[in-house]
Amino acid sequence: NGMGKTTTIRSIMGMTPARSGSIRFAGEKVRSLPSYKIAKLGIGLVPEGRQIFPNLTVYENLVAASGNRAGNSDPWTIDKIHALFPRLAERKSQLGGSMSGGEQQMLALGRALMLAPKIMLVDEPSVGLAPVLVSRTIDKIKELKERYQLTVLMAEQNFTQALRIADRGYVIVHGQIAFEGRSADELNNNELIRKFYLGL
């Protein structure tokens, strides 16, 4: 906690002003852009704690996101979201705030997909979920990455779960990158990570 993961995600989305440096996506500078313009470039966000609209239905949450979608030739539709998350189809008339944590996480993922992102930022998807639901959530993120060729930047404290989908990883300590692993094996076999994150 407090190492800078969420701040990094929020800075990319223009929600927390970066003090220095530059942020680029697909060749464009995004550091000074407002969040809605960053989303239109094709950057979707699944925020920490889900932050769905509690007083809107599942259907309304999804529709609300579609109005700011990126210019993507293959946009996500509600039917496509329902195929990926059948539970959301079952709950389409239910208020978002009345659903379980796992269902809300599905909705947060679905809402981000409705923006037709080229890259999806996922902030601490394991927060507040039972271990079995964490595993299912990571499975869905892995499916998005592999089946739909979606680039995912995930900030996650649960190293074991993060490693299941990681092509590369960064350990942030007090806002600085302390270690970069360019593969899952490189991350898994690093002595510092094995000691502090895996207890080996």
Side-chain angles (χ1 to χ4, degrees):
N1 287 324
M3 292 295 144
K5 300 184 301 299
T6 294
T7 298
T8 300
I9 296 286
R10 289 178 58 85
S11 294
I12 294 170
M13 285 305 301
M15 299 162 71
T16 298
R19 295 178 183 173
S20 62
S22 64
I23 303 171
R24 292 176 178 269
F25 175 68
E28 288 202 47
K29 294 180 181 179
V30 301
R31 180 179 158 192
S32 60
L33 294 178
S35 297
Y36 76 93
K37 287 190 176 180
I38 293 172
K40 277 190 175 293
L41 291 175
I43 303 179
L45 172 65
V46 181
E48 181 180 5
R50 300 171 282 278
Q51 297 183 29
I52 61 166
F53 301 113
N55 296 320
L56 296 183
T57 66
V58 168
Y59 175 81
E60 290 167 340
N61 266 274
L62 295 174
V63 169
S66 66
N68 199 39
R69 68 177 61 202
N72 192 315
S73 59
D74 184 24
W76 282 78
T77 64
I78 289 180
D79 286 343
K80 197 172 174 181
I81 298 296
H82 286 171
L84 184 66
F85 300 110
R87 183 60 64 88
L88 296 184
E90 297 169 10
R91 300 280 194 267
K92 63 183 179 182
S93 299
Q94 187 171 334
L95 293 180
S98 68
M99 297 197 303
S100 69
E103 291 167 341
Q104 288 186 18
Q105 188 63 273
M106 291 179 202
L107 181 55
L109 286 164
R111 184 180 61 183
L113 289 170
M114 287 297 289
L115 294 168
K118 300 178 181 115
I119 181 172
M120 190 159 69
L121 313 181
V122 184
D123 192 10
E124 299 277 15
S126 67
V127 168
L129 297 182
V132 66
L133 294 178
V134 172
S135 184
R136 289 176 188 168
T137 298
I138 297 299
D139 285 342
K140 279 299 180 184
I141 295 171
K142 185 176 182 179
E143 181 181 349
L144 290 169
K145 179 174 163 282
E146 294 177 352
R147 181 178 174 186
Y148 298 100
Q149 302 298 301
L150 181 64
T151 299
V152 176
L153 175 63
M154 183 172 74
E156 179 55 66
Q157 290 186 59
N158 188 325
F159 184 82
T160 304
Q161 291 293 344
L163 199 62
R164 291 175 53 207
I165 68 166
D167 294 311
R168 66 181 66 189
Y170 304 87
V171 176
I172 299 177
V173 179
H174 301 304
Q176 302 290 324
I177 295 175
F179 174 75
E180 175 185 356
R182 296 184 177 272
S183 69
D185 285 341
E186 193 173 325
L187 288 163
N188 204 30
N189 294 318
N190 178 268
E191 285 303 317
L192 284 175
I193 288 176
R194 289 170 68 84
K195 179 179 179 182
F196 290 108
Y197 289 89
L198 302 179
L200 301 174

